[in-house]
């Protein structure tokens, strides 16, 4: 027998299926979303994988279960489709740590530097940047800037320092933003977790601090972590990123075990999207994410350069 909570889930799932067909919609779900939201995904992945998948998808409506900057990317790359974010206020605290005015001031201070912008940023910030990057390709993107010796890297300072450690011939000028979720974990927690789960491999996201990354067997974005675990002969993993990824890791690798080293690995904004909110988004066609055309075109240039 199902619990009342499970019955309610089933009701929402039925409603979502019906509305999805009516609206000709696809549901894109980020790897950090709640497990029950992950389970209704047409496509899962990181922010960029999802937006690129939306380009390929034969649909009129994209429901993006994630945060604002992700829905903005989907809208930038898919101008002919309606992009809905089920929770209007689901933002990214790291992305909010920089403003266009402050970036312009930094550019004026270092006029010879290229501006590399992590995709975890607003469309307006992307529009002011030379090129975007993801956690997966940040090193490659910075290496590709043959004409520049200095790089302003925004907005995540930890990712900037990780790239600097791998690309020593460039001078990185980091913006001191950070992801509040990924900086909460301490070195002691990782060491304690390694002690508890002897023989486990530690996979870490480069939004963590450098002393944490120094302890990792694999450093990468969520896509790289999934690839690493799939291909590793190891059967136990300590997961150094937002807890949501563990649901997908377990589903894809039922014979392996996963441990979170810290209770702090939760992004509150990523957990705002529920089945009820997804059903509401499809029913009311809210909240529509549209990027003003002058910003969209300039932000797309930065994204296209990265994709090239
Ligand atoms: Fe932003 Fe961090 Fe949440 Fe990702 S986990 S959406 S970087 S606040």
């Amino acid at each position: 027998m199902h619990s009342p909570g499970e019955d309610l889930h089933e009701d929402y799932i039925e409603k979502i299926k019906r509305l999805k067909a009516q609206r000709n919609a696809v549901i894109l779900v980020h790897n950090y979303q709640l497990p029950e939201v992950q389970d209704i995904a047409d496509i899962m992945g990181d922010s960029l994988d999802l937006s690129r998948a939306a380009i390929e998808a034969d649909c009129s409506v994209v429901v993006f279960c994630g945060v604002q900057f992700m829905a903005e990317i989907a809208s930038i790359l898919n101008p002919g489709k309606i992009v809905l974010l089920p929770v209007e206020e689901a933002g990214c605290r790291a992305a909010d740590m920089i403003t266009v005015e402050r970036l312009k001031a930094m550019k004026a201070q270092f006029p010879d530097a290229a501006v590399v912008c992590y995709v975890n940023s607003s469309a307006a910030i992307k529009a002011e940047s030379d090129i975007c990057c993801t956690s997966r390709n940040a090193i490659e993107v910075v290496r590709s800037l043959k004409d520049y010796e200095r790089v302003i890297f925004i907005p995540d300072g930890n990712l900037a320092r990780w790239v600097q450690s791998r690309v020593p011939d460039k001078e990185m000028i980091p913006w001191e933003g950070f992801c509040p979720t990924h900086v909460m974990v301490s070195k002691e927690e990782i060491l304690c977790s390694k002690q508890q789960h002897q023989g486990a491999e530690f996979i870490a996201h480069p939004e963590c601090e450098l002393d944490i990354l120094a302890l990792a067997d694999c450093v990468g974005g969520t896509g790289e972590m999934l690839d690493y675990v799939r291909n590793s002969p190891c059967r136990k993993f300590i997961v150094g990123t937002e807890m949501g990824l563990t649901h997908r890791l377990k589903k894809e690798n039922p014979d392996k075990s996963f441990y979170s080293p810290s209770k702090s690995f939760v992004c509150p904004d990523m957990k705002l999207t529920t089945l009820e909110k997804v059903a509401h988004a499809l029913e009311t066609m809210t909240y529509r994410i549209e990027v003003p055309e002058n910003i969209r075109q300039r932000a797309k240039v930065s994204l296209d350069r990265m994709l090239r």
Side-chain angles (χ1 to χ4, degrees), residues 177-288:
F178 57 90
C179 164
T181 302
H182 283 84
V183 299
M184 285 301 281
V185 68
S186 68
K187 191 175 171 184
E188 289 65 39
E189 282 175 308
I190 304 297
L191 292 173
C192 177
S193 197
K194 280 180 169 245
Q195 188 68 31
Q196 262 179 329
H197 308 291
Q198 303 258 338
E201 288 192 323
F202 173 45
I203 54 177
H205 196 286
E207 287 168 18
C208 294
E209 287 168 336
L210 264 189
D211 62 340
I212 303 287
L213 302 181
L215 300 171
D217 299 288
C218 157
V219 175
T222 53
E224 280 163 298
M225 291 186 191
L226 286 156
D227 291 346
Y228 184 85
V229 168
R230 200 175 298 127
N231 297 320
S232 169
C234 190
R235 308 189 78 76
K236 294 194 286 187
F237 298 86
I238 299 164
V239 184
T241 192
E242 215 279 350
M243 279 183 196
L245 186 67
T246 306
H247 179 67
R248 186 165 169 197
L249 283 166
K250 280 183 188 158
K251 243 174 130 171
E252 291 186 4
N253 306 274
D255 56 332
K256 297 185 177 180
S257 304
F258 301 94
Y259 308 98
S260 188
S262 166
K263 288 194 173 68
S264 315
F265 262 144
V266 177
C267 172
D269 286 74
M270 280 285 182
K271 303 304 187 217
L272 293 173
T273 309
T274 59
L275 292 177
E276 184 182 5
K277 303 271 187 197
V278 176
H280 179 262
L282 280 163
E283 192 163 40
T284 58
M285 294 294 282
T286 52
Y287 294 90
R288 204 167 160 172

Side-chain angles (χ1 to χ4, degrees), residues 38-84:
Q38 294 192 25
D39 292 343
I40 56 153
D42 292 308
I43 306 167
M44 280 209 60
D46 61 27
S47 44
L48 197 75
D49 292 342
L50 292 175
S51 298
R52 290 163 96 175
I55 301 175
E56 307 288 319
D58 180 18
C59 66
S60 317
V61 176
V62 172
V63 181
F64 209 119
C65 300
V67 296
Q68 279 157 8
F69 79 81
M70 299 176 181
E72 278 188 351
I73 298 173
S75 178
I76 292 166
L77 296 179
N78 297 277
K81 291 172 184 162
I82 294 172
V83 177
L84 302 177

Side-chain angles (χ1 to χ4, degrees), residues 87-237:
V87 180
E88 194 174 23
E89 64 276 18
C92 167
R93 292 157 203 227
D96 292 344
M97 288 185 189
I98 190 163
T99 62
V100 169
E101 290 64 37
R102 292 169 83 190
L103 174 56
K104 281 185 176 167
M106 203 169 181
K107 281 164 70 169
Q109 201 185 340
F110 303 102
D112 60 327
V115 179
V116 177
C117 170
Y118 186 28
V119 287
N120 295 25
S121 54
S122 69
I125 291 290
K126 290 182 179 77
E128 285 297 325
S129 303
D130 294 306
I131 186 165
C132 289
C133 73
T134 64
S135 46
R136 184 192 278 264
N137 65 20
I139 291 171
E140 231 180 307
V141 164
V142 170
R143 278 196 186 130
S144 76
L145 300 169
K146 303 276 185 242
D147 298 337
Y148 294 90
E149 284 171 12
R150 298 216 278 189
V151 172
I152 296 171
F153 193 98
I154 54 172
D156 192 292
N158 286 326
L159 182 56
R161 280 180 281 279
W162 167 247
V163 174
Q164 180 75 86
S165 73
R166 291 292 181 268
V167 192
D169 57 320
K170 301 270 185 219
E171 184 193 344
M172 302 287 282
I173 306 162
W175 183 262
E176 291 303 338
F178 57 90
C179 164
T181 302
H182 283 84
V183 299
M184 285 301 281
V185 68
S186 68
K187 191 175 171 184
E188 289 65 39
E189 282 175 308
I190 304 297
L191 292 173
C192 177
S193 197
K194 280 180 169 245
Q195 188 68 31
Q196 262 179 329
H197 308 291
Q198 303 258 338
E201 288 192 323
F202 173 45
I203 54 177
H205 196 286
E207 287 168 18
C208 294
E209 287 168 336
L210 264 189
D211 62 340
I212 303 287
L213 302 181
L215 300 171
D217 299 288
C218 157
V219 175
T222 53
E224 280 163 298
M225 291 186 191
L226 286 156
D227 291 346
Y228 184 85
V229 168
R230 200 175 298 127
N231 297 320
S232 169
C234 190
R235 308 189 78 76
K236 294 194 286 187
F237 298 86

